[in-house]
Amino acid sequence: ARAVNDKMKMAATQAIAEITRTGYECDGARWEFGRDLIVPKPFDHRLLEHVAAGVVEAAMATGVARVDVDIEEYRARLRRQ
């Protein structure tokens, strides 16, 4: 992207909020949104895919992306990492 704009920042914020609300399992423990889970844990494997893909989509939608990507292919590539 040529710049980071407010839509991209909001996309990252929304992705983090969505991940937090859904909860997840890690090391045999179940984490649910609430008192013990206000933001995702740093090693939540979903962060990379959801935040990066959301920011890329926002960059393309607002015209600051230098290249267009197939977002589903991009998400699949991120999941494999």
Side-chain angles (χ1 to χ4, degrees):
R2 292 184 283 278
V4 176
N5 59 38
D6 288 341
K7 297 269 187 196
M8 294 164 69
K9 293 175 191 175
M10 285 302 298
T13 303
Q14 289 169 343
I16 292 169
E18 182 180 316
I19 287 170
T20 304
R21 284 191 300 269
T22 60
Y24 76 107
E25 245 181 81
C26 178
D27 296 329
R30 178 78 187 158
W31 295 91
E32 294 292 340
F33 177 70
R35 186 178 191 156
D36 295 325
L37 185 64
I38 297 171
V39 296
K41 299 294 182 184
F43 298 109
D44 186 333
H45 65 278
R46 301 169 301 163
L47 282 170
L48 176 63
E49 176 190 347
H50 291 279
V51 174
V55 171
V56 167
E57 281 183 298
M60 290 188 305
T62 57
V64 296
R66 292 176 191 245
V67 296
D68 285 339
V69 298
D70 177 323
I71 201 66
E72 291 308 316
E73 181 181 310
Y74 183 64
R75 282 180 181 277
R77 199 170 53 198
L78 291 171
R79 272 192 297 273
R80 290 190 299 267
Q81 292 186 1

